[in-house]
Each structure stands twice: as structure tokens, then as C-alpha cells.
Amino acid sequence: MKAEEIALIQSKHNAAIVAPAGHGKTEMITDLVDKLPGKKLVLTHTNAGVDALQQRMNRKNISKEKYYLSTISSFCMKWCDAYPQTAGVDSAVKMTDNKYYPMVHAGAIRIFQNEWARKVIGTTYSCVIIDEYQDCVLAQHQIFVELNKTLPVYVLGDPLQAIFGFKEKLVSWKNLCFEVTPIKTYPWRWEKTNPALGQYLNDVRTQLLPGLDGQHIRLSTVPNSGAVHRIGISALHDGSIYKIANQYETVLYIAKWEPDTIAFSKGTGGLFQHDETQSLKILYEASQLLDTDDGYARANTIYDFIGECASGIATELKSYEGHIKDGDFDFSRIKKHPEFGKRMARLYKYHGHNDMMAVLDWIKNEPGFRIHRRELFTEMQRSIRRARDLNIPIAQAAQEIRMITGNQSKYAGFKRLASRTLLSKGLEFDCVIIDLSKVAQNASNRYSSTEMYVAMTRAMKAIYFITDQDSVLLNVPQGI
């Protein structure tokens, strides 16, 4: 940011900066942190967002004395833990409960409605900077309205990237009560990779913006040699995807619904890894089934679980399936994969943690099986290992490795990923393949204008649409 722009922001008690995708928003935040006086409270929505900002701060050698960086929810949790009676939180509500985060946000509002609380935070920080403000629900927005009574509040975001409105109503940028302040931006993300793509996305942005006013947008899928390509629906079955994947170092496939991303990653034999949700419901469900001192139940659950994670199970291990389902663990007549039979028989007989791990280890190392849900598979291994080492239920171990920040493992290194817009936000890939093959079937399969913008702007070099149509109709965004 230019010195005069930073001075303009500093002169205001609140400011809202609109920064399109790839236009240097993270750089703006680091500039504000570096140049504004005092210690800044910097907040964003996800741990991945915190990591991205922290890496940028480190690259610019910005002293940690200049800022405190956290997720919004963690910040609220910290204050609710410090003042539980003022917050009015129920300690019986756990982090895994759907009511937990709304409760914490409401508690933070109650705290910061008190002048004494705002004075406490005001003695530590000179201002508050919030990233990805378009993703704030109304309760989160109210927190910052309260803080703004004492501290300057500066928010950055892009209403065209507001894609979480299906959960709760999102803050409206038309009635933000923070002053929208124009700062010049530029599509830096594509400057070195493909300027033509950057220009295309700027043009498309203009076409999509009326969607924020409730208009249905029709988006052209006609190829543009410099940025956009189109492949027919038959590409999902004729091997064209493999040719595209081989042209780029990193490739992201995006579909509307999770069953489609699972089917795609499985169909590619693990070439594309399925992108898992943080909640990872199937991990908890399988973990609960494993929390039994019953060899038959544990063996059945492990067999079903590996079928969810790896391709080749239905064919390579078909001879074992009937035996396992019938409770018959005498595999002496089966000649194929005898080591698998030996480990499953031991699991049935002794049904310990190490016996479950032995089966999973064999699947992981056997070249005939291609794991397409590696994150899920690895998290189950970690859950069983943690349950064994700490002598706790596997379901509890699974919750602890997913929900407690210090126990979480990162799975950001997949070069080819099958995901949805909601999960891929913030990621960057050389090539993005957007599956539009089902949009004509019914309205629920259509992308909204905000979802489409987020999906397209994940691409650094090229976009591929999977469709036989010259254009597609986009839904009106939800919750904005």
C-alpha cells in the first residue's frame, strides 16, 4: 500500500476495504500491521488463514511485537474462558456441538458490550484488523461493532467471495456501518503465471457482481485460448482428465457436492485426493463402531473403512468379503493376498489396537490398492494410535486430533485435489477443472455467482469447464 493510503486508513475510526481475489489483500494486511502504530489485533476465520498471514509476516520480517494473530473463534473462546459468567456460556456444551461456536460468539458480544472489557482490550491493542470479512456472520460482525466503540476497526474482504451464507446470514456490505474506503488493487496473482487469465477474471467479476443484487447470471463457457478451456462431459470417462493433469504441476477438480468429489477421486485411482471436511463425520462414525471389545465388529468396520478410502478393494479382496460378513475368518482356501487374510484373522481373534493398525498398514503399503482418501485414512491411523497410547476411546481420540489445534495434522501438500468451493477457498492451483456436467439436471446442482467466482480464482494458469453447453445459469448467492 502507498504511504498516503495507509495514512488515509489511519485517519479513520473504521474502514472497509474491498479486495478482489488475487489482488494483494494479504499484502495490504501486512503493510497495515507493519506501518500503523502500536500493536494490532489481527483476526481471520480459519487456521489456514492464520498460517497464510503468519507466513507473509515472517517473509516480511515483521516483528511479533507489532501484532497478535488469531482466528475469530479462538479469540472469542479466550475471552469467554476468562469471563465465563459475563459471557453466559454453558461449560457442558462441547466444541463438537453445533451450538458451541454460536454460543461463544454470543458470549463475546455480551463481554464487549461492557465498557470495562473494551478498556481492557484497548490497553493492549491500537486497532483491530479483520481478514475475509465477507465471511462474518451477524454475531461476529456485532462483536466488532462493539469493539469499534473503543478501538479503530479495519476490515478487508470481498462480497463476491461470500460463500458461507447457507449456514447463517452473513454481514451485508451494503449496510456495513464501516466506511467503505477505496484502495487501488491489481491482479498480482496472475502477473507472472498468466496475465490473460487475470484479465479474464476481472472481466468475469464485472459480469458476476449483479448476482449480489439477487440477479441470476448466465456465464459463458466458450473457450478462450489464453485462459479458459472446455471439455465435454465424456472427459470424465475417456481419459482426458489424465492428459490435463499431466500438463500442470498442480490441479484442482471442483464439483458441487461431496459424493461427486469422492467418486471422481476414486475413479482416478487416487491420482486426485479427496478434500476432507474438518468435521470428517465418517471418521467419527467409524471410530464409534470400533469402540467395542468385539473382534467381529472391529474386523467388519475396518473392512468397510478401507473400502471407503481405497480403490481396488471390491475386486482384489472380493473373496474375503463374504467370509468377513458371515463371521467366517477361516481364509485357508483363499490364495490371493494371504497376508491380508492372516492379519484380518488375527484382528478377529485378538481385536486389539495393534491388530487394527496391522491391517491398515498392509493396505497402505500394498501397491495394488490406491488410496484416494489419504487424509481420512491417516486420521484413522492417528486416532487408533492415540487411543492405544492414552488408553482412551477411539472416538474421543478422533475428536481430539480434529478439534484441538495442537493435535491437528496438515494435509495441504496434495498436488491434485478433488474438492468443493467451500473447502478450496484460499487455495491456489496451476489448473482448475470445474465440473458443470450436472447443472442442467436441477437447480440444486447449479453454482451461485459467488461460488463460481471463488472456484475460478483458484486457478493460476488455466481453467477447464466440464460441460457440453455454451453457457450455464448461476444461482443467486444465499444469505447475503
Side-chain angles (χ1 to χ4, degrees), residues 9-28:
I9 298 298
Q10 187 178 352
S11 70
K12 299 178 181 294
H13 192 59
N14 61 61
I17 302 171
V18 175
H23 280 59
K25 176 169 57 63
T26 303
E27 192 73 9
M28 291 183 200

Side-chain angles (χ1 to χ4, degrees), residues 420-439:
R420 292 172 289 151
T421 306
L422 292 171
L423 301 180
S424 62
K425 187 176 180 182
L427 302 179
E428 296 177 5
F429 286 76
D430 289 341
C431 170
V432 171
I433 303 171
I434 303 175
D435 192 345
L436 303 174
S437 62
K438 294 184 177 180
V439 296

